[in-house]
Amino acid sequence: MPSRTLAITFGCLLFFCAAFLATPALAQPPGANEMPSVIQVPAEAQPSAHFDATAATNAYLAQIPADKTARSNTYFEGGYWLILWDFLYGVVIALILLNLRWSARMRDLAERVTRFKPVHTFVYWLQYIILTSILGFPLTVYEGYFREHKYGLATQTFGPWMGDQLKNLGVGVVLGGLLIMILVGIVRRLPRTWWIWGAVATNIFLVFVVLISPVYIFPLFNKITRLNDPKIVDPILSLARANGIPARDVFTMDASRQSTRMSANVSGFASTMRITLNDNLLRRGSPEEIQAVMGHEMGHYVLNHIYKGIMFNLIETVLLFAFLRWGVAWSLQRWGDKWGVHEITDVGVIPLVLLLVSIFGFISTPIDNTLTRTQEYEADMYGLNTSRQPDGFAQGAIHLGEYRKMNPGPIEEWIFYDHPSGRNRIYASMRWKAENLKLFTAPPSGLVQVPVQSTESAAPAPPVVDVEKK
Ligand SMILES: [Zn+2]
C-alpha cells in the first residue's frame, strides 16, 4: 500500500475519533424508546360475540404512544436512505481503488511478498479489507454507533463497540480470505465454467459458515449460556417435542451487551440444532409473548426455511456469477488499461467484482426482502397455530415496533420490509383469534371427559392459558 494512502486513511480515522471525543452526550439513554412492557389486551380484542379483527388490530395499535410511533418511523425510514448511501459510498470507494490504481499497487506489493498464488491472494485480501474498512469507517461509525445511540437502541460505549468492530474485521480477514482464495483458484483453473462452480463453492462455504457460527463465531461477541429455569425451558421444550424438533436444551445470549432489541432463533442443522432466546426477550417478554416468538422460530425450522433459503441462494448466486462473468469482461475491456488490471485471474480485479456484487445486491433488495418476508409470514402462521397465543404475538409485534415502522403503505412494505409490518402481523393474529374464538371462551367439545371421583372438578379446563387474565 502506498504510504500516501496510509497517511490519508489514518487522517480520516483520526478526524472521526476526534469528532467522537467532541460529541458532548449521547442523544438517548439505552431503552429510551421502549414500548410499554406489559401490554393489556384491549377491550376490542377480548373474546366476544362481536369480535372484529380490524377493530382489535386498531385497538392494539392505539396503545402505542404517538411520540414512540414517530420516533420508530423516523428511524426505520432513515434505514431506507442508508441502503442508498451505503451503496453509493461503496461505489465511490471501489472507483477510487481502481482509478487511482491503488488496487493494482496492492496486487504488486502482494506479488513482492510471495509468488505462491494462494498466499499472494490472501496478502492482497488483507490489504484490501483493512483499507476499505478504514475508508468505510465514517459511515460504519455513524450507522452502527451514533445513530443507534440517538434512537436509544444501543447499550455499548465506544470502546467495547470498537472492540466488536475489530473482531468483525478479524472474522472478515479469515473467512473472507478463505472464500477469496477458493474463488480465485476456481477462476484460474476453470476459465470457461468458473461462474457455475464459483456459485456452488460460495454456497457450500456459506453452509459451512452457518454450521460453525453458533460454536465458533457468535461466542466471540456474546456469552451464550444454557437456560435452567424450568418455568421458561419446560414449555419451550414441550412445544419443540410437539413439533418434532430434536432440541434438548434452550440457550440464552447476552444481546443486551450491544442493544435493546429482542430476538430468538433456532439455528444449525441436525446435531448442532439449538434454540436461543436473547436476554432482552427473556427480561421483557411476557410468557405468552415468549411462547408466540418460539412458535414462530420453530415454524422456520419445521417449514425447512433453512434448506429453502440455501436453494434460493444457490439460484441467486448462479445469476450473480453470470452477471459477474459478463460485467467483469465488459468493464476490463473498457477501463482495464486505466486501472492496470487486465484479466479476471488478476486479484487486482477484486474491487470491481465487489462493486458488481453490490450493484446486483442493490437491485435485488426488493426481491430478497419479499422472499424473506414471505417465509416470515409463513412462520407467523405456523407459530400462531402451534402456540395459540395471538395476543402474545400482538405484544411481540409492538415490541419490535421500537425499531420497525408499524404501519407502512403496501408498496413500501413490498420494497423495504424483510418481515411483515407490525400492523399486518397484529391483524393476522387477530384474524386467527376471531376464527378460533372458542379456544378462549368455552371448554372443548367433542370428547366426553370422564369426571374423576370428585364432583367439584367436573368441568374440564380450557386447553390454553387464558391470556386475557394476565
Ligand atoms: Zn422469523
Side-chain angles (χ1 to χ4, degrees), residues 197-237:
W197 297 114
V200 172
T202 303
N203 277 272
I204 294 172
F205 187 81
L206 289 179
V207 171
F208 162 75
V209 172
V210 169
L211 262 176
I212 64 162
S213 293
V215 183
Y216 294 104
I217 298 178
F218 300 160
L220 296 175
F221 300 91
N222 290 93
K223 221 170 103 191
I224 296 165
T225 44
R226 190 162 298 170
L227 258 179
N228 292 316
D229 184 354
K231 275 211 298 291
I232 298 160
V233 173
D234 289 354
I236 293 175
L237 288 181

Side-chain angles (χ1 to χ4, degrees), residues 35-40 63 284 286 395 399 470:
M35 294 286 176
S37 248
V38 176
I39 288 157
Q40 301 299 320
Q63 294 199 17
R284 295 181 51 213
S286 67
Q395 187 172 350
H399 274 146
K470 74 169 194 267

Side-chain angles (χ1 to χ4, degrees), residues 264-265 293 296-297 299-300 305 372 375-377 379-380 404 418-420 425:
N265 65 68
V293 172
H296 168 100
E297 298 304 333
H300 282 309
H305 284 167
T372 318
Q375 292 198 328
E376 293 299 334
Y377 183 73
D380 277 358
R404 287 183 190 155
D418 57 5
H419 283 70
R425 295 182 110 170

Side-chain angles (χ1 to χ4, degrees), residues 352-368:
L352 172 64
V353 170
L354 294 179
L355 170 63
L356 294 169
V357 170
S358 75
I359 292 172
F360 188 89
F362 182 72
I363 295 168
S364 59
T365 300
I367 300 161
D368 291 343

Side-chain angles (χ1 to χ4, degrees), residues 116-169:
F116 181 56
K117 294 280 185 191
V119 180
H120 170 211
T121 304
F122 185 78
V123 174
Y124 173 89
W125 174 250
L126 189 64
Q127 299 173 77
Y128 173 87
I129 195 169
I130 292 174
L131 179 59
T132 52
S133 299
I134 293 170
L135 293 175
F137 190 74
L139 198 56
T140 310
V141 74
Y142 165 70
E143 223 168 288
Y145 186 79
F146 289 113
R147 185 167 181 268
E148 292 295 296
H149 273 288
K150 185 177 165 200
Y151 288 94
L153 292 164
T155 53
Q156 270 176 321
T157 52
F158 191 75
W161 178 84
M162 196 63 208
D164 277 359
Q165 298 308 302
L166 292 174
K167 285 183 210 164
N168 258 325
L169 180 64

